[in-house]
Amino acid sequence: MRPTRDPGLQPERTSLSWSRTAMRLILTATALLSWGSSYGRPVILVTGLLGVAGLWIYAGQRTRYDRDVDGVENGG
């Protein structure tokens, strides 16, 4: 028998938390872009890493959320 997922609000709160984390990483990367011309490659590298990490977290979180919603709708 497959374990059932928690149909309560905890999965939704976790999903929202990851969404906020991803958004903050992307916004921080955007803010750092203005420093790129002054500080050069290190800032550009950090900006790229933050942006990629934010997008990666968002895409993974979105996939998990969609899967969980499908599971709740289908009863499992």
Side-chain angles (χ1 to χ4, degrees):
M1 184 167 102
R2 226 175 75 184
T4 59
R5 295 225 175 279
D6 179 14
L9 294 177
Q10 182 61 40
E12 186 173 357
R13 285 193 304 266
T14 302
S15 176
L16 291 171
S17 177
W18 278 110
S19 293
R20 286 190 303 268
T21 300
M23 182 66 71
R24 287 183 181 132
L25 285 172
I26 293 167
L27 290 174
T28 301
T30 304
L32 284 174
L33 282 176
S34 65
W35 291 4
S37 61
S38 300
Y39 295 100
R41 286 187 183 170
V43 171
I44 299 298
L45 178 63
V46 169
T47 299
L49 290 174
L50 287 173
V52 167
L55 292 173
W56 182 66
I57 289 171
Y58 180 76
Q61 173 274 329
R62 187 69 200 168
T63 301
R64 283 188 302 274
Y65 183 77
D66 290 342
R67 184 183 63 227
D68 290 346
V69 167
D70 287 342
V72 170
E73 288 175 352
N74 295 327

